[in-house]
Amino acid sequence: MTGQDAEEKRAEAPPDDTYRPSMLFLAVITVVSAAADLASKGWAKAALSGADKGRPKSIEVIKDHFDFIYTLNPGGAWSFLRSLPENLRRPFFLFVSSAAVVFIVSVYRRIHRDQWAMRWGLPLALGGAVGNLVDRIRYGSVIDFIDFYVIRNGREIHWPTFNVADIAIVAGVLLMALDTFLSRKTRGGFGEPVPPAEPLTASPAPPAPLPPPGEA
């Protein structure tokens, strides 16, 4: 290698202080959140699946407000596309979940040192996506078991049943939204610093007119 080649290689190399987000951190938070989701779903399936005296099994946590009850959701959030035929619905959600995993990993690799909200939000969302993806591969549906509701005029009004993966995804999305809000103040775009504003300076005065010939 000639001296000129070595100079060019050093010029192309990134500086030593270039921040590289920890892939170990991404893996740990993703695995912990996905494991918490899958473990809780395993408990729900073992403890709550089946019927008790002809009614679905449930565990009352807060009377008239919060129960654990086992359900299988073949659709997305809020039962989105639940009525779609199985041969279309399952490939669609498998593709969407897989694409989300790839997208989150690619975005995580580009974050900067000061993006603490994004650094936590992406692994949480990824762990939730992995947890639900495992369910879709195993069962073709997602296990939900957390049921919030209120009683008004003698009628139960339920929030759509959800799971720990959904909690992780929502928390991750909220953190990413917080990062976007903070980015508007500190960065001009994703991963790009806001250039400093140019100082306002007075326009230079026009040059004085030259005197007519003979009057100098």
Side-chain angles (χ1 to χ4, degrees), residues 1-2 9 66 77 82 84 116 127 149-150 180 182 195 200:
M1 178 182 294
T2 65
K9 187 173 183 180
F66 177 25
R82 184 187 184 98
L84 198 67
W116 60 269
Y149 63 99
V150 295
T180 301
L182 296 175
L200 296 177

Side-chain angles (χ1 to χ4, degrees), residues 147-207:
D147 181 29
F148 279 103
Y149 63 99
V150 295
I151 298 179
R152 289 185 179 177
N153 301 322
R155 186 167 64 93
E156 293 184 358
I157 302 175
H158 289 255
W159 183 263
T161 310
F162 57 97
N163 54 42
V164 173
D166 297 332
I167 296 174
I169 291 171
V170 170
V173 169
L174 290 176
L175 286 169
M176 287 186 276
L178 175 62
D179 180 87
T180 301
F181 173 76
L182 296 175
S183 295
R184 292 179 179 177
K185 296 183 177 181
T186 59
R187 290 181 293 275
F190 182 79
E192 295 295 335
V194 176
E198 295 183 1
L200 296 177
T201 57
S203 299

Side-chain angles (χ1 to χ4, degrees), residues 9-210:
K9 187 173 183 180
R10 281 195 297 270
E12 294 173 358
D16 293 339
D17 60 349
T18 298
Y19 176 71
R20 296 176 180 84
S22 171
M23 301 306 291
L24 177 61
F25 181 84
L26 174 69
V28 169
I29 301 302
T30 298
V31 168
V32 169
S33 54
D37 172 63
L38 294 173
S40 63
K41 289 173 177 174
W43 168 82
K45 182 176 174 64
L48 301 171
S49 61
D52 183 13
K53 298 180 180 179
R55 300 184 60 185
K57 293 180 182 178
S58 65
I59 297 176
E60 186 178 73
V61 181
I62 301 176
K63 184 176 176 58
D64 296 335
H65 290 295
F66 177 25
D67 292 345
F68 289 142
I69 184 168
Y70 178 83
T71 62
L72 282 174
N73 177 17
W78 295 284
S79 298
F80 176 65
L81 297 181
R82 184 187 184 98
S83 60
L84 198 67
E86 173 71 13
N87 61 338
L88 296 177
R89 183 183 63 247
R90 187 170 185 177
F92 172 79
F93 282 112
L94 287 175
F95 171 78
V96 169
S97 299
S98 301
V101 170
V102 173
F103 174 76
I104 290 171
V105 173
S106 65
V107 172
Y108 181 84
R109 294 171 64 90
R110 297 168 51 205
I111 64 175
H112 287 248
R113 188 187 306 275
D114 61 339
Q115 293 182 273
W116 60 269
M118 188 71 76
R119 187 165 60 250
W120 280 93
L122 289 169
L124 286 172
L126 180 58
V130 169
N132 282 340
L133 177 60
V134 171
D135 268 15
R136 295 193 186 279
I137 293 173
R138 292 191 300 181
Y139 310 121
S141 299
V142 172
I143 295 175
D144 291 330
F145 64 95
I146 303 173
D147 181 29
F148 279 103
Y149 63 99
V150 295
I151 298 179
R152 289 185 179 177
N153 301 322
R155 186 167 64 93
E156 293 184 358
I157 302 175
H158 289 255
W159 183 263
T161 310
F162 57 97
N163 54 42
V164 173
D166 297 332
I167 296 174
I169 291 171
V170 170
V173 169
L174 290 176
L175 286 169
M176 287 186 276
L178 175 62
D179 180 87
T180 301
F181 173 76
L182 296 175
S183 295
R184 292 179 179 177
K185 296 183 177 181
T186 59
R187 290 181 293 275
F190 182 79
E192 295 295 335
V194 176
E198 295 183 1
L200 296 177
T201 57
S203 299
L210 296 174

